[in-house]
Amino acid sequence: MRPGAVALAVSSLVVLGTGPPAPSSPLPARMTDTGGGTQLITAVAPRKASTTGTVTWWDLRGGRWVRAGSAPARFGANGLAEGASRTQGTNTTPTGLYGLPYAFGIKAAPRGTAYRYRRVHRDSWWCQDNGSRSYNRWTEPRAADCRAAESEHLITYGERYAHALVIGFNYGRPVRGRGAGIFLHVNGRGATAGCVSVPKSAMRAILTWADPAKRPHIAVGTASGTTAVTRY
């Protein structure tokens, strides 16, 4: 080979070697668990003390996770806390991977909603009373052993509960004192009391996207550290 040809070949190798890096794997592909379904919502805050972050919803297509939508999110007024050791009343959003048992709302379900959707009425309550047999459950009317002061009267939350999804935190076998009434719902004026909230348009989009047959879950966590969303 002529010297000039060798130089050209080496130059070509250098150019190829300095090309743009391969794109990183989608967030769900880097997670320990995604719930086993083909839909996933991730709610990620920069740090445990953060009250804002991002909610993204994903579809698994052809073996690869593809982003279906994204929106700014709000978290608890005192940030996030490890779900397995969270304490009720701390205004923290529990981290972890959770199912989404059903949707609900003061307003009718958006057109195209496939999820089971429960309409809020004037007698609809969410019990947070640790002494009640209905702890961390919807009751209608309010259960006799569930104090009103320790419950959420759902209809009084207005636009925040216009549309919502129940997050299955402490839901299957509730642990008293760990927390109750954790939802994905519409933004209020600021940080939440422990829920995850998004703009109304995003909440409606999520409800029309979510398909119970695809077993969607929600993963809540931070970008890094002991509560990194990739750990769940």
Side-chain angles (χ1 to χ4, degrees):
M1 182 180 293
R2 301 189 312 276
V6 173
L8 180 60
V10 173
S11 176
S12 297
L13 288 173
V14 171
V15 171
L16 290 172
T18 57
S24 60
S25 300
L27 178 58
R30 292 180 273 122
M31 293 174 56
T32 302
D33 188 9
T34 58
T38 57
Q39 287 188 330
L40 178 71
I41 300 171
T42 55
V44 184
R47 295 169 299 279
K48 287 177 69 174
S50 300
T51 60
T52 60
T54 304
V55 160
T56 307
W57 47 108
W58 308 80
D59 289 301
L60 184 61
R61 301 175 185 168
R64 182 175 176 82
W65 287 99
V66 179
R67 188 177 72 170
S70 185
R74 295 175 181 169
F75 299 98
N78 288 323
L80 292 78
E82 174 62 59
S85 56
R86 179 183 181 269
T87 300
Q88 183 167 327
T90 54
N91 288 340
T92 54
T93 298
T95 63
L97 177 69
Y98 305 108
L100 299 162
Y102 60 92
F104 71 91
I106 293 172
K107 295 185 177 180
R111 186 184 300 274
T113 299
Y115 239 75
R116 174 191 167 204
Y117 191 90
R118 191 166 187 178
R119 195 76 182 268
V120 173
H121 300 105
R122 293 203 171 274
D123 285 336
S124 304
W125 294 75
W126 195 278
C127 183
Q128 299 181 0
D129 189 335
N130 282 282
S132 173
R133 290 173 293 179
S134 300
Y135 179 67
N136 203 19
R137 288 292 186 273
W138 178 304
T139 69
E140 193 171 315
R142 177 171 53 84
D145 67 345
C146 188
R147 293 169 291 169
E150 299 294 327
S151 305
E152 288 191 358
H153 191 192
L154 299 178
I155 203 164
T156 65
Y157 284 75
E159 284 299 307
R160 285 171 289 176
Y161 289 174
H163 305 295
L165 270 166
V166 176
I167 294 177
F169 165 72
N170 201 31
Y171 189 79
R173 295 180 178 180
V175 175
R176 311 287 168 156
R178 184 158 293 169
I182 301 298
F183 312 128
L184 174 62
H185 65 75
V186 177
N187 283 340
R189 293 184 178 180
T192 73
C195 295
V196 180
S197 72
V198 293
K200 183 190 294 186
S201 59
M203 193 66 239
R204 291 177 65 88
I206 289 169
L207 284 179
T208 56
W209 159 85
D211 181 351
K214 296 180 179 180
R215 295 181 294 157
H217 286 68
I218 185 168
V220 184
T222 51
S224 61
T226 58
T227 53
V229 72
T230 51
R231 294 181 60 245
Y232 301 111

Short mmCIF file of all heavy atoms in Angstrom, two decimals, residues 92-139:
data_model
loop_
_atom_site.label_atom_id
_atom_site.label_comp_id
_atom_site.label_asym_id
_atom_site.label_seq_id
_atom_site.Cartn_x
_atom_site.Cartn_y
_atom_site.Cartn_z
N THR A 92 -43.80 12.95 53.06
CA THR A 92 -42.78 12.43 52.15
C THR A 92 -43.43 11.48 51.16
O THR A 92 -44.39 10.77 51.49
CB THR A 92 -41.68 11.67 52.91
OG1 THR A 92 -42.29 10.65 53.72
CG2 THR A 92 -40.86 12.61 53.77
N THR A 93 -42.90 11.45 49.95
CA THR A 93 -43.38 10.53 48.92
C THR A 93 -42.60 9.22 49.03
O THR A 93 -41.38 9.24 49.02
CB THR A 93 -43.20 11.13 47.52
OG1 THR A 93 -43.99 12.33 47.42
CG2 THR A 93 -43.63 10.15 46.44
N PRO A 94 -43.28 8.09 49.16
CA PRO A 94 -42.58 6.81 49.31
C PRO A 94 -41.94 6.34 48.01
O PRO A 94 -42.59 6.32 46.96
CB PRO A 94 -43.69 5.85 49.76
CG PRO A 94 -44.94 6.44 49.19
CD PRO A 94 -44.75 7.93 49.23
N THR A 95 -40.67 5.95 48.09
CA THR A 95 -40.00 5.40 46.92
C THR A 95 -40.27 3.90 46.82
O THR A 95 -40.60 3.25 47.81
CB THR A 95 -38.48 5.64 46.99
OG1 THR A 95 -37.95 4.95 48.13
CG2 THR A 95 -38.16 7.12 47.10
N GLY A 96 -40.13 3.36 45.62
CA GLY A 96 -40.35 1.94 45.42
C GLY A 96 -41.07 1.68 44.12
O GLY A 96 -41.37 2.60 43.34
N LEU A 97 -41.36 0.41 43.86
CA LEU A 97 -42.10 -0.02 42.68
C LEU A 97 -43.47 -0.52 43.13
O LEU A 97 -43.57 -1.40 43.98
CB LEU A 97 -41.34 -1.15 41.98
CG LEU A 97 -42.03 -1.77 40.76
CD1 LEU A 97 -42.06 -0.77 39.60
CD2 LEU A 97 -41.32 -3.05 40.33
N TYR A 98 -44.52 0.04 42.54
CA TYR A 98 -45.87 -0.25 43.00
C TYR A 98 -46.82 -0.51 41.83
O TYR A 98 -46.67 0.05 40.75
CB TYR A 98 -46.41 0.93 43.82
CG TYR A 98 -45.51 1.32 44.96
CD1 TYR A 98 -44.75 2.49 44.91
CD2 TYR A 98 -45.38 0.50 46.08
CE1 TYR A 98 -43.90 2.84 45.95
CE2 TYR A 98 -44.54 0.84 47.12
CZ TYR A 98 -43.80 2.00 47.05
OH TYR A 98 -42.94 2.33 48.09
N GLY A 99 -47.82 -1.33 42.12
CA GLY A 99 -48.90 -1.52 41.18
C GLY A 99 -49.84 -0.32 41.20
O GLY A 99 -49.72 0.58 42.05
N LEU A 100 -50.80 -0.33 40.29
CA LEU A 100 -51.77 0.76 40.18
C LEU A 100 -53.16 0.13 40.20
O LEU A 100 -53.71 -0.21 39.15
CB LEU A 100 -51.54 1.55 38.89
CG LEU A 100 -50.16 2.22 38.79
CD1 LEU A 100 -49.83 2.59 37.34
CD2 LEU A 100 -50.12 3.47 39.67
N PRO A 101 -53.72 -0.08 41.40
CA PRO A 101 -54.96 -0.87 41.54
C PRO A 101 -56.14 -0.38 40.71
O PRO A 101 -56.82 -1.18 40.08
CB PRO A 101 -55.26 -0.79 43.04
CG PRO A 101 -53.92 -0.53 43.68
CD PRO A 101 -53.18 0.33 42.70
N TYR A 102 -56.42 0.93 40.74
CA TYR A 102 -57.52 1.46 39.94
C TYR A 102 -57.42 2.98 39.87
O TYR A 102 -56.62 3.62 40.57
CB TYR A 102 -58.88 1.04 40.51
CG TYR A 102 -59.18 1.46 41.93
CD1 TYR A 102 -59.85 2.66 42.20
CD2 TYR A 102 -58.85 0.66 43.02
CE1 TYR A 102 -60.15 3.05 43.50
CE2 TYR A 102 -59.14 1.02 44.31
CZ TYR A 102 -59.79 2.23 44.55
OH TYR A 102 -60.07 2.61 45.84
N ALA A 103 -58.23 3.55 39.01
CA ALA A 103 -58.29 5.00 38.84
C ALA A 103 -59.57 5.53 39.49
O ALA A 103 -60.52 4.79 39.71
CB ALA A 103 -58.25 5.35 37.35
N PHE A 104 -59.56 6.83 39.76
CA PHE A 104 -60.77 7.45 40.31
C PHE A 104 -60.78 8.93 39.97
O PHE A 104 -59.79 9.48 39.48
CB PHE A 104 -60.87 7.23 41.82
CG PHE A 104 -59.87 8.01 42.65
CD1 PHE A 104 -60.17 9.27 43.13
CD2 PHE A 104 -58.62 7.47 42.96
CE1 PHE A 104 -59.27 9.99 43.92
CE2 PHE A 104 -57.70 8.17 43.73
CZ PHE A 104 -58.03 9.43 44.21
N GLY A 105 -61.89 9.57 40.24
CA GLY A 105 -61.93 11.00 39.99
C GLY A 105 -63.26 11.63 40.32
O GLY A 105 -64.31 10.97 40.34
N ILE A 106 -63.20 12.92 40.58
CA ILE A 106 -64.42 13.70 40.80
C ILE A 106 -65.14 13.89 39.46
O ILE A 106 -66.36 13.89 39.40
CB ILE A 106 -64.06 15.05 41.46
CG1 ILE A 106 -63.55 14.80 42.88
CG2 ILE A 106 -65.27 15.99 41.47
CD1 ILE A 106 -62.99 16.05 43.56
N LYS A 107 -64.34 14.02 38.40
CA LYS A 107 -64.91 14.15 37.06
C LYS A 107 -64.96 12.80 36.38
O LYS A 107 -64.29 11.85 36.79
CB LYS A 107 -64.08 15.14 36.24
CG LYS A 107 -64.13 16.56 36.80
CD LYS A 107 -63.40 17.53 35.90
CE LYS A 107 -63.52 18.96 36.44
NZ LYS A 107 -62.81 19.94 35.56
N ALA A 108 -65.74 12.72 35.32
CA ALA A 108 -65.86 11.48 34.57
C ALA A 108 -64.51 11.09 33.96
O ALA A 108 -63.66 11.95 33.69
CB ALA A 108 -66.91 11.63 33.47
N ALA A 109 -64.32 9.82 33.74
CA ALA A 109 -63.08 9.34 33.14
C ALA A 109 -62.90 9.93 31.76
O ALA A 109 -63.86 10.06 30.99
CB ALA A 109 -63.11 7.81 33.05
N PRO A 110 -61.67 10.31 31.41
CA PRO A 110 -61.42 10.81 30.06
C PRO A 110 -61.81 9.76 29.01
O PRO A 110 -61.67 8.55 29.25
CB PRO A 110 -59.90 11.05 30.06
CG PRO A 110 -59.54 11.23 31.49
CD PRO A 110 -60.46 10.33 32.25
N ARG A 111 -62.28 10.22 27.89
CA ARG A 111 -62.67 9.30 26.82
C ARG A 111 -61.49 8.41 26.44
O ARG A 111 -60.38 8.89 26.23
CB ARG A 111 -63.14 10.10 25.60
CG ARG A 111 -63.71 9.23 24.47
CD ARG A 111 -64.05 10.09 23.28
NE ARG A 111 -65.05 11.10 23.61
CZ ARG A 111 -66.37 10.91 23.57
NH1 ARG A 111 -66.84 9.71 23.22
NH2 ARG A 111 -67.20 11.88 23.87
N GLY A 112 -61.72 7.12 26.36
CA GLY A 112 -60.66 6.19 26.01
C GLY A 112 -60.02 5.51 27.20
O GLY A 112 -59.16 4.64 27.03
N THR A 113 -60.42 5.88 28.43
CA THR A 113 -59.86 5.25 29.63
C THR A 113 -60.27 3.78 29.70
O THR A 113 -61.45 3.46 29.66
CB THR A 113 -60.33 5.98 30.90
OG1 THR A 113 -59.89 7.33 30.85
CG2 THR A 113 -59.79 5.32 32.15
N ALA A 114 -59.26 2.89 29.81
CA ALA A 114 -59.53 1.45 29.90
C ALA A 114 -59.48 0.96 31.35
O ALA A 114 -60.00 -0.10 31.66
CB ALA A 114 -58.53 0.67 29.05
N TYR A 115 -58.84 1.73 32.20
CA TYR A 115 -58.69 1.33 33.60
C TYR A 115 -60.03 1.35 34.33
O TYR A 115 -60.92 2.17 34.01
CB TYR A 115 -57.73 2.30 34.30
CG TYR A 115 -56.52 1.62 34.87
CD1 TYR A 115 -55.47 1.18 34.06
CD2 TYR A 115 -56.40 1.39 36.24
CE1 TYR A 115 -54.36 0.55 34.59
CE2 TYR A 115 -55.30 0.77 36.78
CZ TYR A 115 -54.27 0.35 35.94
OH TYR A 115 -53.18 -0.28 36.46
N ARG A 116 -60.17 0.47 35.30
CA ARG A 116 -61.33 0.55 36.19
C ARG A 116 -61.31 1.94 36.83
O ARG A 116 -60.30 2.36 37.39
CB ARG A 116 -61.24 -0.53 37.26
CG ARG A 116 -62.34 -0.43 38.32
CD ARG A 116 -62.03 -1.35 39.49
NE ARG A 116 -62.89 -1.05 40.63
CZ ARG A 116 -62.58 -1.34 41.88
NH1 ARG A 116 -61.44 -1.93 42.17
NH2 ARG A 116 -63.40 -1.02 42.86
N TYR A 117 -62.44 2.64 36.73
CA TYR A 117 -62.50 4.04 37.16
C TYR A 117 -63.65 4.21 38.13
O TYR A 117 -64.81 3.93 37.81
CB TYR A 117 -62.68 4.95 35.95
CG TYR A 117 -62.50 6.42 36.22
CD1 TYR A 117 -61.25 7.02 36.10
CD2 TYR A 117 -63.58 7.22 36.58
CE1 TYR A 117 -61.07 8.37 36.32
CE2 TYR A 117 -63.42 8.58 36.81
CZ TYR A 117 -62.17 9.15 36.68
OH TYR A 117 -61.99 10.51 36.92
N ARG A 118 -63.33 4.69 39.32
CA ARG A 118 -64.34 4.87 40.36
C ARG A 118 -64.66 6.35 40.51
O ARG A 118 -63.75 7.16 40.75
CB ARG A 118 -63.83 4.28 41.68
CG ARG A 118 -64.91 4.19 42.75
CD ARG A 118 -64.45 3.31 43.90
NE ARG A 118 -65.54 3.10 44.85
CZ ARG A 118 -65.46 2.35 45.93
NH1 ARG A 118 -64.33 1.72 46.22
NH2 ARG A 118 -66.50 2.21 46.74
N ARG A 119 -65.90 6.69 40.39
CA ARG A 119 -66.32 8.09 40.47
C ARG A 119 -66.48 8.52 41.93
O ARG A 119 -67.04 7.78 42.76
CB ARG A 119 -67.64 8.28 39.72
CG ARG A 119 -68.00 9.71 39.40
CD ARG A 119 -67.19 10.26 38.26
NE ARG A 119 -67.53 11.66 38.02
CZ ARG A 119 -68.46 12.06 37.16
NH1 ARG A 119 -69.16 11.16 36.46
NH2 ARG A 119 -68.70 13.35 36.99
N VAL A 120 -65.97 9.69 42.26
CA VAL A 120 -66.07 10.24 43.61
C VAL A 120 -67.46 10.83 43.83
O VAL A 120 -67.96 11.58 42.97
CB VAL A 120 -65.00 11.32 43.84
CG1 VAL A 120 -65.21 12.02 45.19
CG2 VAL A 120 -63.60 10.71 43.77
N HIS A 121 -68.06 10.52 44.98
CA HIS A 121 -69.35 11.09 45.37
C HIS A 121 -69.20 11.81 46.71
O HIS A 121 -68.13 11.80 47.32
CB HIS A 121 -70.41 9.98 45.48
CG HIS A 121 -70.62 9.23 44.21
ND1 HIS A 121 -70.14 7.95 44.01
CD2 HIS A 121 -71.23 9.59 43.06
CE1 HIS A 121 -70.45 7.55 42.79
NE2 HIS A 121 -71.12 8.52 42.19
N ARG A 122 -70.25 12.40 47.17
CA ARG A 122 -70.18 13.19 48.41
C ARG A 122 -69.90 12.33 49.64
O ARG A 122 -69.43 12.83 50.65
CB ARG A 122 -71.47 13.99 48.61
CG ARG A 122 -71.64 15.09 47.56
CD ARG A 122 -72.56 16.20 48.04
NE ARG A 122 -72.52 17.32 47.10
CZ ARG A 122 -71.62 18.29 47.12
NH1 ARG A 122 -70.68 18.29 48.05
NH2 ARG A 122 -71.67 19.26 46.24
N ASP A 123 -70.17 11.05 49.56
CA ASP A 123 -69.92 10.16 50.69
C ASP A 123 -68.63 9.35 50.51
O ASP A 123 -68.41 8.36 51.22
CB ASP A 123 -71.10 9.19 50.88
CG ASP A 123 -72.30 9.88 51.52
OD1 ASP A 123 -72.10 10.91 52.20
OD2 ASP A 123 -73.42 9.38 51.34
N SER A 124 -67.77 9.75 49.57
CA SER A 124 -66.53 8.99 49.31
C SER A 124 -65.41 9.48 50.21
O SER A 124 -65.09 10.67 50.23
CB SER A 124 -66.12 9.16 47.84
OG SER A 124 -67.15 8.77 46.95
N TRP A 125 -64.79 8.54 50.92
CA TRP A 125 -63.69 8.85 51.84
C TRP A 125 -62.54 7.89 51.60
O TRP A 125 -62.73 6.77 51.14
CB TRP A 125 -64.15 8.71 53.28
CG TRP A 125 -65.21 9.69 53.72
CD1 TRP A 125 -66.53 9.67 53.39
CD2 TRP A 125 -65.02 10.83 54.55
NE1 TRP A 125 -67.18 10.73 53.97
CE2 TRP A 125 -66.28 11.46 54.70
CE3 TRP A 125 -63.92 11.38 55.21
CZ2 TRP A 125 -66.46 12.61 55.46
CZ3 TRP A 125 -64.10 12.52 55.97
CH2 TRP A 125 -65.35 13.13 56.09
N TRP A 126 -61.33 8.35 51.95
CA TRP A 126 -60.17 7.44 51.99
C TRP A 126 -59.69 7.40 53.44
O TRP A 126 -59.26 8.41 53.99
CB TRP A 126 -59.05 7.91 51.07
CG TRP A 126 -58.06 6.79 50.85
CD1 TRP A 126 -57.03 6.43 51.67
CD2 TRP A 126 -58.04 5.88 49.77
NE1 TRP A 126 -56.37 5.33 51.17
CE2 TRP A 126 -56.98 4.98 49.99
CE3 TRP A 126 -58.82 5.72 48.62
CZ2 TRP A 126 -56.66 3.95 49.11
CZ3 TRP A 126 -58.52 4.69 47.74
CH2 TRP A 126 -57.44 3.82 47.99
N CYS A 127 -59.80 6.22 54.05
CA CYS A 127 -59.50 6.09 55.47
C CYS A 127 -58.00 6.03 55.73
O CYS A 127 -57.29 5.19 55.16
CB CYS A 127 -60.17 4.84 56.03
SG CYS A 127 -59.92 4.65 57.81
N GLN A 128 -57.53 6.90 56.62
CA GLN A 128 -56.13 6.91 57.04
C GLN A 128 -55.99 6.72 58.55
O GLN A 128 -54.92 6.95 59.12
CB GLN A 128 -55.48 8.23 56.60
CG GLN A 128 -55.50 8.43 55.09
CD GLN A 128 -54.84 9.71 54.64
OE1 GLN A 128 -54.34 10.48 55.45
NE2 GLN A 128 -54.83 9.95 53.35
N ASP A 129 -57.07 6.27 59.15
CA ASP A 129 -57.11 6.06 60.60
C ASP A 129 -56.46 4.72 60.92
O ASP A 129 -56.96 3.66 60.53
CB ASP A 129 -58.56 6.08 61.07
CG ASP A 129 -58.70 6.07 62.58
OD1 ASP A 129 -57.77 5.59 63.27
OD2 ASP A 129 -59.74 6.55 63.07
N ASN A 130 -55.34 4.76 61.66
CA ASN A 130 -54.61 3.54 61.98
C ASN A 130 -55.41 2.55 62.82
O ASN A 130 -55.09 1.36 62.86
CB ASN A 130 -53.31 3.89 62.71
CG ASN A 130 -52.24 4.39 61.76
OD1 ASN A 130 -51.61 3.62 61.06
ND2 ASN A 130 -52.05 5.70 61.71
N GLY A 131 -56.44 3.03 63.47
CA GLY A 131 -57.25 2.16 64.31
C GLY A 131 -58.42 1.54 63.58
O GLY A 131 -59.17 0.75 64.17
N SER A 132 -58.59 1.85 62.31
CA SER A 132 -59.76 1.38 61.57
C SER A 132 -59.47 0.11 60.78
O SER A 132 -58.37 -0.08 60.26
CB SER A 132 -60.24 2.47 60.60
OG SER A 132 -61.27 1.99 59.77
N ARG A 133 -60.47 -0.73 60.64
CA ARG A 133 -60.35 -1.92 59.80
C ARG A 133 -60.30 -1.53 58.32
O ARG A 133 -59.94 -2.35 57.48
CB ARG A 133 -61.53 -2.86 60.05
CG ARG A 133 -61.50 -3.56 61.42
CD ARG A 133 -62.76 -4.34 61.68
NE ARG A 133 -63.91 -3.45 61.82
CZ ARG A 133 -65.16 -3.86 62.03
NH1 ARG A 133 -65.41 -5.15 62.11
NH2 ARG A 133 -66.14 -2.98 62.14
N SER A 134 -60.66 -0.30 58.02
CA SER A 134 -60.66 0.19 56.64
C SER A 134 -59.42 1.01 56.31
O SER A 134 -59.39 1.75 55.33
CB SER A 134 -61.91 1.05 56.38
OG SER A 134 -63.08 0.30 56.58
N TYR A 135 -58.37 0.88 57.13
CA TYR A 135 -57.14 1.65 56.93
C TYR A 135 -56.61 1.49 55.51
O TYR A 135 -56.49 0.39 54.98
CB TYR A 135 -56.08 1.19 57.93
CG TYR A 135 -54.75 1.89 57.81
CD1 TYR A 135 -54.61 3.24 58.10
CD2 TYR A 135 -53.62 1.18 57.39
CE1 TYR A 135 -53.39 3.88 57.99
CE2 TYR A 135 -52.38 1.80 57.29
CZ TYR A 135 -52.28 3.16 57.58
OH TYR A 135 -51.06 3.79 57.47
N ASN A 136 -56.31 2.62 54.90
CA ASN A 136 -55.79 2.71 53.53
C ASN A 136 -56.74 2.09 52.50
O ASN A 136 -56.33 1.39 51.57
CB ASN A 136 -54.40 2.08 53.39
CG ASN A 136 -53.65 2.64 52.17
OD1 ASN A 136 -53.98 3.70 51.66
ND2 ASN A 136 -52.64 1.92 51.72
N ARG A 137 -58.02 2.38 52.69
CA ARG A 137 -59.04 1.92 51.76
C ARG A 137 -60.09 3.02 51.52
O ARG A 137 -60.34 3.86 52.37
CB ARG A 137 -59.76 0.68 52.30
CG ARG A 137 -58.93 -0.59 52.29
CD ARG A 137 -58.66 -1.07 50.88
NE ARG A 137 -57.98 -2.36 50.83
CZ ARG A 137 -56.67 -2.52 50.88
NH1 ARG A 137 -55.87 -1.46 51.03
NH2 ARG A 137 -56.13 -3.71 50.78
N TRP A 138 -60.67 2.98 50.33
CA TRP A 138 -61.83 3.81 50.00
C TRP A 138 -63.02 3.28 50.79
O TRP A 138 -63.26 2.08 50.83
CB TRP A 138 -62.07 3.67 48.51
CG TRP A 138 -63.25 4.40 47.92
CD1 TRP A 138 -64.56 4.32 48.28
CD2 TRP A 138 -63.20 5.31 46.81
NE1 TRP A 138 -65.34 5.11 47.48
CE2 TRP A 138 -64.53 5.73 46.57
CE3 TRP A 138 -62.18 5.80 46.01
CZ2 TRP A 138 -64.86 6.62 45.54
CZ3 TRP A 138 -62.50 6.67 44.99
CH2 TRP A 138 -63.82 7.09 44.76
N THR A 139 -63.76 4.15 51.43
CA THR A 139 -65.00 3.75 52.09
C THR A 139 -66.11 4.70 51.66
O THR A 139 -65.90 5.91 51.54
CB THR A 139 -64.87 3.77 53.63
OG1 THR A 139 -64.76 5.11 54.10
CG2 THR A 139 -63.67 2.95 54.09
#
